[in-house]
Amino acid sequence: MPGRRTGRTAATGSGAPERVPGACPLDCPDGCSWTVTVQDGVAVRLEGRRDHPFTQGTLCVKVNQYLEHTAAPDRLLHPLRRTGPKGSGTFERITWDQALDEIAERLAAVRDTWGGEAIWPYWGTGNLGHLQGMRGPAGARLWNVLGASGHDMSICSVAGTEGVRFATGTKQGIDPESLAHSRLILLWGVNTLTTGHHLWRFVRQAQENGAHVVAIDPVLSRTAKQADEHCALVPGTDGALVLGLLHVVLSLGAEDRDYLAEHTLGWDEFRERILAFPPARAAAVTGVPEQQIRALGERLARTRPTAIRAGMGMQRHAGGGAALRLLACLAGVTGDWKHLGGGLSYSTGGSFGGDLAALRRDDLRRAPVRSLAMTRLSEGLLALDDPPVKCLFVYGANPAASSPDQSGVLRGLAREDLFTVVIDHFPTDTADYADIVLPTTMQTEHLDVHTGYGHLYLGWNEPAVAPAGECLPATEIFRRLARRMGLTEPSLYDSDDELVRQLLAGGHPSLDGITVERLRTEGWLRLNHPADQILFRDGFPTPSGRLEFVSAAAEAAGLDRVAGFTPAREVDDPELARRFPLVLVAAASHYFMNTIFANRPALAKRAGRPTVAVHPEDAARRGLTDGRTARIFNDRGSFEALVRVSDTVRPGVAATTKGHWSKLTGGAGVNTTVDERDADLGRGAVFHDNRVQIEAAGPTRATGTTSAPRADQNDEGLNRT
């Protein structure tokens, strides 16, 4: 392992190559550990750490180009002030002093006139670091001192997280590495080979030992093609499928009665829910053939251990939280929670016991503040009052491209009375609407600590090279801004080293044996969880100490006390289905990380233009042919994409990918069709609860233009180091 980095020798031209430990900051469960080789102050090579037990030396096709990305010609290197209309992307270069003076003056004016809650600090998952990114989150102490509105990170996984918590009391799931011991693996709403490919090694290990792997997904994804079985359900009907499978288990008398009696609460009531969903009913709701439900239910009944790896996409609808709650309950009916390689893996986030409260310092707030959901940005900017949002401070996020109700978001961002600051690496769609743009460091240029949400390892990221241009770490930007505002709270000026020590000093059992010095020296460390850990062996962290099929907490929140199926709102609306007969899902691109890398020419070329996959039956009804431009629309808006006629989607479903920047693709994006409303839990997003119609909008693609990726496109570069 590389030794501790004690200085900036790589940036001073020593001539000796140096290997610097680091970690990927991006929104991926795998949180790769990497090494940067530096020669004469320049990062010349990036490679995965081969000694890391989970990521084992491979990086994804996206991150393989990270060093080139840091040196891209469109990277932001200096502070900018807007000179043209909002959205025009016209700016002039200014100094840091000018930028900080203007921001400090405007923030103070907003606070003094409207109150601190008129400031909305809006961060996203562009960086998952505990210092520089959303885990801390960066800047939280400043916002607390100013009394700014709270920011609810509701766009990604929150509905599912809350659903799992109602059942198990925690968001902590089983160790994904334990899937190597599974005999049946249900990959539920997750395209592992695109959104966290390192898990596939453990899935394959189980498969080679005789495990049966099932991909449950409306789309025949890369992962589904490699599975033993594909179960193509209607989006948003996952909960009905869970109940249908459990009905088969009960009909065979295969429920684990001892486990149910000793470790669960409310079995009799939950059992009635299951019995109300025979396979025929589940088939009618989900679109999955009854015979397949029965066969998979029989396999589930007789196969121990069964592991469920659930993805974030399956809970982005009006019943998403309820669906994840049911998956946690499924493993209780079968008793899989008591087996190594059995149970649910949704997130390992609850495994890390770092002192996040010490980073946030919510105690610095003088009074309670409102919480604004990031999925309601349009509403917040256009309709919110008492007070209105007068300052939007965006970092680690590109909401102009990634938030629901894209048209409304753009109208809100265009408000002349809204002071907007964007901290970013590149001139994104959102940055074009900023009044001030601040350049920040990228991962090779700053200190950070990372945890994956798909494994149990802690990663250290040492700055390998000097910051490009005038870029500053996010932590330093907030320190300088606090100083410019004349704020006297001492903790606002804690150094990055001090912040790391506060994070790791809480004494949580998961951090036993982990010190800053050891982590810095070794680069990565496993959290203090044994490899053969049986999660919840000694009870669940619920009020009853049991897996709760019946939840008093859910009832207190105004929800059904018994776990059950909550339909997706638009998917389940027959009147809307007559007008907009296709359910649109927008999955992760293989070549972008959310909207990151969409401006990287090599990856944008491989991704191709935005496409929409349509089943041959649906295409024939609409006169759609391969390569033709189509308009995808509903009452909220429309966007254009190239048609790909393919049986990778089931009839009644259309599939596209997220992540494209509108200004690079010549028009609106998929989120112009997505409703800005809440899922059933946590104010989560409903990206896949979206009905549309599709019509031909232009000629067939001309020869020589950029083509759409083919359905059978190979995986070249997937695991290239």
Side-chain angles (χ1 to χ4, degrees), residues 498-511:
E498 290 171 321
L499 293 173
V500 172
R501 293 185 185 280
Q502 293 162 19
L503 173 68
L504 300 182
H508 191 274
S510 67
L511 297 176

Side-chain angles (χ1 to χ4, degrees), residues 80-165:
L80 303 172
R81 178 193 290 125
R82 179 171 61 89
T83 58
K86 288 197 171 187
S88 65
T90 54
F91 296 90
E92 64 179 355
R93 178 176 171 180
I94 57 176
T95 67
W96 270 104
D97 283 341
Q98 290 173 310
L100 293 171
D101 282 343
E102 184 167 343
I103 296 170
E105 180 182 348
R106 295 291 294 271
L107 282 175
V110 168
R111 179 194 58 189
D112 294 344
T113 304
W114 299 94
E117 288 180 307
I119 302 168
W120 187 352
Y122 189 105
W123 60 81
T125 60
N127 184 322
L128 299 191
H130 286 284
L131 272 62
Q132 312 299 340
M134 56 78 64
R135 296 287 195 197
R141 295 178 179 183
L142 174 64
W143 307 126
N144 286 332
V145 168
L146 294 177
S149 289
H151 178 64
D152 192 346
M153 283 285 299
S154 57
I155 204 166
C156 185
S157 60
V158 64
T161 296
E162 294 304 308
V164 171
R165 277 182 174 148

Side-chain angles (χ1 to χ4, degrees), residues 187-192 194 214-227 229-236 238 583-588 611-615 644 646-657 688 711:
L187 299 173
W188 208 304
V190 60
N191 183 7
T192 303
T194 284
V214 184
I216 301 174
D217 195 316
V219 179
L220 183 65
S221 66
R222 291 170 182 263
T223 301
K225 292 176 184 178
Q226 299 298 319
E229 180 179 350
H230 177 218
C231 185
L233 76 174
V234 172
D238 308 83
V583 180
L584 179 66
V585 294
T611 64
V612 60
V614 184
H615 190 273
R644 180 162 61 83
S646 172
D647 59 4
T648 58
V649 291
R650 56 171 296 123
V653 172
T656 187
T657 54
H688 299 158

